[in-house]
Amino acid sequence: MTPLNDPDDLGGTGLTLTPGPAEPGTLALRLTGALDHESADALVREVARRLAERPAPRLLRLDCAGLTACDSLGLSALLMIGRRTAAACALRLDGRPPHLDRLLDVTGTRPYLVGPDEEPGPV
């Protein structure tokens, strides 16, 4: 298990995943770098591994403020994570950069990943 606040570079893909402090029942992870064709599968695998730990979290918070890019496979990874968490816990995409909000809007995936009433990320 990765120690708290020790970044995991996801196999040298350029995306760093850093656990953060969270309330009991919450898994908080900060994403830094590009979520793209090189890192998408690694992110899905690592999040699935962490969600399988016991006790299982009731909320997964992905802090996206450090995302420098997100391509179609990155979006696919977020959708896959959303699908995997739907039955067991809630998903929150925190600190979404404007480029991620635009991608969610253009692709019509905002309702699936963010919800219709949640405010956009920081400008």
Side-chain angles (χ1 to χ4, degrees), residues 17 22 32 34 36 40 49 51 63-64 70 84 87 90 98-99 104-105 108 114 123:
L17 188 64
T32 306
D36 59 14
R49 184 187 72 75
L51 288 172
D63 180 352
C64 300
C70 184
R84 288 185 180 195
H99 64 84
L104 296 175
D105 288 337
V114 176
V123 177

Side-chain angles (χ1 to χ4, degrees), residues 11-87:
T13 63
L15 182 68
T16 302
L17 188 64
T18 307
E23 299 290 323
T26 299
L27 173 59
L29 302 169
R30 183 174 56 243
L31 306 174
T32 306
L35 179 52
D36 59 14
H37 65 283
E38 292 183 18
S39 60
D41 287 341
L43 177 65
V44 172
R45 280 192 306 273
E46 184 59 19
V47 168
R49 184 187 72 75
R50 292 177 190 230
L51 288 172
E53 293 175 356
R54 298 290 174 222
R58 294 182 311 277
L59 174 63
L60 170 61
R61 297 189 81 101
L62 296 180
D63 180 352
C64 300
L67 280 182
T68 57
C70 184
D71 69 7
S72 61
L73 286 178
L75 177 60
S76 177
L78 292 175
L79 289 166
M80 178 76 68
I81 291 167
R83 186 170 20 157
R84 288 185 180 195
T85 60

